[in-house]
Amino acid sequence: MRMALAVAASLVVLSACGGTAVTGSGSGQPKPSGKVGEVLTLAQPAAPKTLDPTKETTSDRFYAALAYQPLIVQNSAGDLQPGLALSWHYVGTGNMTFVLALRPNVKFSDGSALSAQGVVDHFSYLVKAAGQQAPLFAGYEFAATGPLEVTVRSPKPDPDLGKHLSQNFVAGDIVSPTGLSDPAKLGGATFGAGPYQIDAAQTVAGSQYTYVPNPNYYDKAAVHWKKVVVKVMLDPQSTLAAMQTGQVNLSLGDQGTVPAAKRAGLTVTSAPQLVVAVTLADRGGTLVKPLADVRVRQALNYATDRASIAKALYADSGAPTMQLSVPGSAGYDAALEHTYPYDVTKAKALLSQAGYANGFTLDLFTTTGGGLNLVTQAVAQQWGKAGVTVKVNEISNASAYRTTVLGEAKAPAFTSNFSVPVAIEGSYLYLPNALYNPFRNADPVLQKLYNQSAVASPEAKAGVDKQIMAYLVQQAWFVPIVSQDLYYYASRNITGTTTTPTSYVSIYEVQPAT
């Protein structure tokens, strides 16, 4: 699972979940337990390349969220709650103008004050810094329309802007004016308005990051620990051992160590959040002509024995799936899970109807991260039974893998994608300018549905999102195989480690057990 996270973060995107306008005065956190713990120790599978939240990736969100309060807090249930913004709402129709009312009297850890102009300056810097989140805000206009009011105008409908401004996307973690005045310092120090601040004297970059309470934090009751330590631990077995001996209180889990974690008495929480799939990027048949025929793409889906793969390779951590959404997330429709039952005879018939009775040869790229290479080998054998000869190309390095499949190869490839809102999913997977649509294939039916979803009310949007998912399944642009659980391990002396299909464990909710 650790590797699956690394691959997914580098290949696609980390998800979030939405909500409507909210007004409140708290910190966006649950009611405090009334108990302040001495030290909370977290284990993370990778060190951040920088502490600059505008350049950090979403997989580094814990490092950023501790010190940088976001404009909007997304809780573990997926709801959006007040952060540095007390309220927010769209203006007019079309989801293109978004107004935030900022919390008054907020000071950053360095003593500078929160203001609307400071938020505008933060996003100007974020776009120039060209980090992972910068493309999300290309063409967006941020304006200070009052001392504590920020108006955002997007170039196209964006029903999920509130999610983008939460801690799960890092971009909404606001940097202070002092930090922006000397960006070189952002890499090793923190300039946020969050509950903690980095303690450089107790921090060893790449190994251990120590945070202490921010004396200027606006909600003292929400500071649950006297110290938070984040340890970088690359090996799942070492992480489990550290959890068992009490050296670590909270960590990401690994599907291989789940039984041992449960036997050790750890609190194990999980939710389906990842979808392992084959992306048939060349659906226009530019390099692989057969893929232009929907019958061929459907044949590949019929030729995939998802149940046997899930049982053999994922045990209790995965379930067979035929769609890009997981149960409980946007667009998911249980009825779609009956679309492509494993049927080699049906697959052969469709190939014959498309003019490929003798099959064809297909290059399929994969990587070792998350065990995707093992899934690839299983799929190659299954497709072979239908007459499709698969040449497996394995690339271990995740960055090189992405460069290859989106660059010179542009071939069908395995991905481990986080299930995300439809508006974000389209931008990364299937719209004309999507990252995983290197041939820029367009579909007027899909585009029309996507446009409807972008401007729909929350009530109507759910139905349109299901139509989008149904159309993707029918057109078979992907071969979804398994929806996979994301695991967390927690010691018995902490609470607040809930996770759902639409959100992650929120570091703001982790408290000492009463």
Side-chain angles (χ1 to χ4, degrees):
M1 179 61 66
R2 171 180 60 84
M3 291 303 298
L5 283 168
V7 172
S10 66
L11 295 184
V12 191
V13 63
L14 207 54
S15 72
C17 181
T20 55
V22 173
T23 300
S25 58
S27 61
Q29 302 176 17
K31 184 178 179 180
S33 64
K35 187 176 181 180
V36 177
E38 290 295 325
V39 181
L40 172 68
T41 304
L42 313 175
Q44 286 288 283
K49 292 183 178 180
T50 176
L51 291 179
D52 183 344
T54 69
K55 297 179 181 179
E56 281 185 316
T57 64
T58 48
S59 56
D60 295 329
R61 63 190 181 280
F62 276 2
Y63 294 100
L66 285 165
Y68 291 92
Q69 187 79 359
L71 287 167
I72 298 172
V73 173
Q74 183 184 18
N75 65 20
S76 58
D79 299 321
L80 300 184
Q81 302 293 331
L84 294 184
L86 280 178
S87 65
W88 52 91
H89 63 278
Y90 286 98
V91 175
T93 60
N95 294 331
M96 296 178 68
T97 301
F98 192 75
V99 178
L100 302 109
L102 301 181
R103 187 183 298 272
N105 305 316
V106 170
K107 288 187 176 181
F108 292 87
S109 59
D110 55 47
S112 55
L114 174 70
S115 68
Q117 186 57 51
V119 172
V120 172
D121 293 341
H122 165 87
F123 282 98
S124 295
Y125 171 70
L126 180 144
V127 172
K128 292 177 182 177
Q132 186 189 62
Q133 305 308 315
L136 289 176
F137 299 97
Y140 282 57
E141 296 180 0
F142 289 80
T145 47
L148 292 174
E149 181 182 272
V150 177
T151 298
V152 187
R153 293 182 175 85
S154 58
K156 61 183 186 304
D158 184 353
D160 297 309
L161 184 54
K163 312 175 190 64
H164 296 159
L165 301 178
S166 77
Q167 79 276 14
N168 281 337
F169 274 90
V170 188
D173 296 343
I174 304 301
V175 178
S176 75
T178 302
L180 294 176
S181 68
D182 192 356
K185 293 182 179 179
L186 296 176
T190 56
F191 296 83
Y196 304 93
Q197 59 187 8
I198 199 78
D199 185 337
Q202 300 184 64
T203 294
V204 180
S207 176
Q208 176 173 303
Y209 298 79
T210 301
Y211 296 79
V212 294
N214 168 12
N216 295 325
Y217 190 53
Y218 60 83
D219 188 359
K220 295 291 193 288
V223 180
H224 307 305
W225 305 93
K226 296 179 181 179
K227 182 187 295 186
V228 178
V229 177
V230 184
K231 293 185 176 182
V232 180
M233 306 189 73
L234 305 180
D235 179 60
Q237 293 292 342
S238 297
T239 300
L240 177 60
M243 292 287 304
Q244 291 172 315
T245 57
Q247 298 175 61
V248 172
N249 306 109
L250 176 65
S251 72
L252 285 170
D254 180 273
Q255 64 184 42
T257 60
V258 169
K262 291 180 178 179
R263 289 194 299 270
L266 300 176
T267 300
V268 179
T269 57
S270 67
Q273 290 185 344
L274 295 163
V275 176
V276 175
V278 181
T279 298
L280 302 175
D282 191 15
R283 46 188 168 266
T286 303
L287 299 179
V288 186
K289 184 179 178 181
L291 293 181
D293 195 312
V294 65
R295 293 169 294 187
V296 171
R297 302 194 301 269
Q298 290 173 344
L300 296 178
N301 274 274
Y302 278 113
T304 305
D305 187 354
R306 297 166 170 84
S308 67
I309 292 175
K311 182 178 180 181
L313 300 179
Y314 292 89
D316 296 330
S317 68
T321 189
M322 299 177 192
Q323 56 193 302
L324 297 175
S325 293
V326 299
S329 66
Y332 181 81
D333 187 346
L336 296 176
E337 299 296 0
H338 306 288
T339 308
Y340 298 112
Y342 179 49
D343 191 336
V344 176
T345 301
K346 177 72 171 178
K348 288 181 176 180
L350 285 170
L351 289 173
S352 181
Q353 293 170 22
Y356 301 99
N358 296 322
F360 64 97
T361 299
L362 179 71
D363 281 310
L364 184 58
F365 281 75
T366 188
T367 184
T368 54
L372 294 185
N373 57 330
L374 301 179
V375 185
T376 308
Q377 294 293 343
V379 167
Q381 293 176 13
Q382 293 173 3
W383 289 2
K385 295 177 182 179
V388 178
T389 301
V390 176
K391 294 182 178 179
V392 176
N393 300 271
E394 184 176 309
I395 302 173
S396 298
N397 183 275
S399 296
Y401 175 64
R402 182 175 68 171
T403 299
T404 300
V405 300
L406 298 181
E408 63 269 22
K410 293 186 174 66
F414 265 86
T415 55
S416 182
N417 309 323
F418 281 92
S419 181
V420 298
V422 169
I424 302 170
E425 182 179 74
S427 304
Y428 281 83
L429 291 179
Y430 49 75
L431 290 183
N433 292 322
L435 179 66
Y436 275 80
N437 186 1
F439 293 97
R440 305 304 175 217
N441 295 307
D443 184 293
V445 176
L446 181 63
Q447 188 65 61
K448 182 178 179 180
L449 288 171
Y450 185 83
N451 292 344
Q452 290 175 7
S453 175
V455 299
S457 66
E459 296 76 19
K461 189 177 185 301
V464 179
D465 287 352
K466 285 187 176 182
Q467 293 181 55
I468 290 174
M469 194 57 58
Y471 188 76
L472 288 170
V473 171
Q474 175 201 359
Q475 292 300 308
W477 287 359
F478 304 86
V479 184
I481 299 171
V482 174
S483 64
Q484 188 179 4
D485 281 4
L486 179 64
Y487 286 94
Y488 293 91
Y489 301 159
S491 58
R492 295 292 185 181
N493 62 344
I494 67 172
T495 187
T497 59
T498 303
T499 182
T500 66
T502 54
S503 191
Y504 311 99
V505 166
S506 169
I507 192 62
Y508 302 129
E509 297 177 21
V510 179
Q511 304 181 39
T514 55

